[in-house]
Amino acid sequence: MRIPEEVDPARLRAALRGGMLQVRGELRLWKAGHVLAGAATLGAVDSEEIDGEPAVELLYRRAVFHAAAAELAETHSDIAATGEGQERNEARRDAAGELRRLATLAIRDMLGVTRTSVELI
């Protein structure tokens, strides 16, 4: 996920836990439906396999990793007061939006809903 080297393991762990909370929150109703259908674990959800792993597990990890990386991109600023440091911070903020989008796409794939929404103006 191209996490900066200066992010310490405790901060990375906190971001991953935050990503799990976010993704679980968005999948709460989806999970309840699968639990009622008898799936006790994520691996028990009927899903195609990719490289020997259930696709739903791959999507969950993808969503969590991208959510965690977005949090780190938003909160891990370069403290350099130079123009270059400010440019890096701006690039990280831009990257955070893209990472959140990728997390959302993985969640939408799990939910089985379309990736786009159209709204009349």
Side-chain angles (χ1 to χ4, degrees), residues 1-4 6-7 11-12 14-15 18-19 22 26 64-79 85-104:
M1 298 302 305
R2 300 178 84 178
I3 304 301
E6 57 271 6
V7 174
R11 178 70 185 104
L12 180 57
Q22 176 189 331
E26 293 187 45
V64 168
F65 290 171
H66 282 99
E71 179 180 323
L72 290 171
E74 287 176 338
T75 61
H76 188 77
S77 296
D78 193 325
I79 60 171
Q86 290 174 356
E87 287 175 17
R88 281 193 301 264
N89 288 339
E90 185 64 34
R92 283 190 184 115
R93 282 190 291 275
D94 291 346
E98 179 65 14
L99 291 163
R100 289 210 186 282
R101 184 186 73 79
L102 292 169
T104 297

Side-chain angles (χ1 to χ4, degrees), residues 7-49:
V7 174
D8 65 55
R11 178 70 185 104
L12 180 57
R13 182 178 172 88
L16 285 167
R17 291 171 68 170
M20 285 187 259
L21 289 170
Q22 176 189 331
V23 173
R24 285 182 179 188
E26 293 187 45
L27 293 173
R28 187 166 282 125
L29 292 176
W30 178 86
K31 176 185 175 183
H34 285 286
V35 168
L36 288 173
T41 65
L42 186 58
V45 172
D46 186 29
S47 165
E48 67 179 299
E49 286 196 2

